[in-house]
Every structure is written in structure tokens, then in C-alpha cells.
Amino acid sequence: MSCMDCSGDGSGGGVGEVLVSREAIARRVTELGREITAAYAGRELTIVAVLTGSLVFLADLIRNIPGRVRICPVFVSSYPGASTAPAGRPRLGPMPELPAGCDVLIVDDILDTGQTLAVLIDHCRRQAGSVRTCVLLSKTRHRKQNRKISVAVEADFVGFDIGEEFVVGYGLDYDNLYRNLPDIRVLLPRRNA
Ligand code: IMP
Ligand code: MG
């Protein structure tokens, strides 16, 4: 069984089965790089990278996009500490200055409710000539089923569609842990002591 208890105190809250393997991720990221390269053929691309979650995905993705790519990082936090539920509106760090009229691609690790992307799209549209979005994972079913979600955001480029489970690894975290795992895994529920 490929399960790790990373809580340190043996109380659980570790990580479970692999949901998306490192091999599958590598294949899909290469394809996404090709799709994005074709979509922006001959044009300079300005990537607004949503940190910290997109860190690992971004590093692999940009090496599959030849040509002129500008990286503009922005820090966003959606979940407070040890939580798997968003705390309302995402908190944004300072927004990058974008070249007027540029072609923006917002890159994030995962699209869940769409609140994070909605805020960023809104900001980028004020300066950019075009704004598109790319996420490694999308929780489409969760978004469609959740009636409380009022934002209607879909990403232009999506790596994988997944279910409702909370996932970690390949940059995705729980309380800033597990970003270093090479595969994407399901977070196990905490066992009560
Ligand atoms: P949204 O604003 O609800 O779309 O949430 C997007 C943000 O929530 C992402 O950038 C992630 O940081 C975080 N998030 C949503 N689902 C997960 C998950 O399953 N694992 C880790 N982070 C998640
Ligand atoms: Mg994030």
C-alpha cells in the first residue's frame, strides 16, 4: 500500500493513493506546452504564475514552451493554514505590472470554485490585450454541483479533470506540506487521537 503518514505524530492526516502519476503528469505537461505554443505562435507570452501552488507545474510547463516567455509571479492564498476549505475571498499579494496590451496566460495548480481565477482575470484584463488561463487540475464536477459557487470560470487549458477529493503533491499543498511529492496524491482524513 502506497500510503505515507507524514503528520509526524502518528495521528494520520498523511497522504494516500496516487491519483495522477508523475509519468502521466509529464506526458500531459508536454502536450499542454505544445497546445499553448500553437495558440500563441510567434507572439510573446506573459505568464501570470499563481504561487505557491503552481511552482512545480510552472517549472515544467515553461520548458515546453519555446520562444519569448515573461514570468510575472503573484502570491495568492485561498486556504488558511491547516484547512481544506477556502476562507472566502482569496488573499492576493502585490499584483505584477503587466506590459500594456500583452498576451496573458494565468497559470495555476488547480481550479476549484473559480474564485482565484476570477479575481486574477479581472485584474489582468485592465492591462492586457488578451487573457487566458491554464490549470493542471480542474474539479469541474465539484464546481458544477456546488450551488453556493456563483462564479462561472472555466480554464482555457486543463491538464486533468478530477473529482472532489483534496489532493497534494507536484506543488499542491496541505498547510504548506507535501508540495515536494512527485506524484499527485489524495490527502487522507485525519484520525482522531
Ligand atoms: P478556487 O479559488 O476555489 O478555484 O481554488 C483554487 C485554489 O485553492 C488553488 O489555487 C489551490 O491553492 C487551492 N486548492 C483547491 N483545491 C485544492 C486541492 O485539492 N489541494 C490543494 N489545494 C487546493
Ligand atoms: Mg493556489
Side-chain angles (χ1 to χ4, degrees), residues 50 53 108-109:
V50 187
D108 202 357
D109 51 0

Coordinates of all heavy atoms in Angstrom, one line a residue, residues 50 53 108-109, ligand 2:
V50 N 0.5 31.8 -10.5 CA -0.1 31.9 -9.2 C 0.7 31.0 -8.2 O 0.7 29.8 -8.3 CB -1.6 31.4 -9.3 CG1 -2.2 31.7 -7.9 CG2 -2.3 32.1 -10.4
G53 N 1.3 27.4 -5.3 CA 0.9 26.1 -5.8 C 1.3 25.8 -7.2 O 1.6 24.6 -7.5
D108 N -2.2 28.3 -12.9 CA -2.5 27.9 -11.5 C -2.4 26.4 -11.4 O -2.5 25.7 -12.4 CB -3.8 28.5 -11.0 CG -3.8 28.6 -9.5 OD1 -2.9 28.2 -8.8 OD2 -4.9 29.1 -8.9
D109 N -2.3 25.9 -10.2 CA -2.2 24.5 -10.0 C -3.6 23.8 -10.2 O -3.7 22.8 -10.9 CB -1.7 24.1 -8.6 CG -2.4 24.9 -7.4 OD1 -3.3 25.7 -7.7 OD2 -2.0 24.6 -6.3
Ligands
MG2 MG -3.2 28.1 -5.3

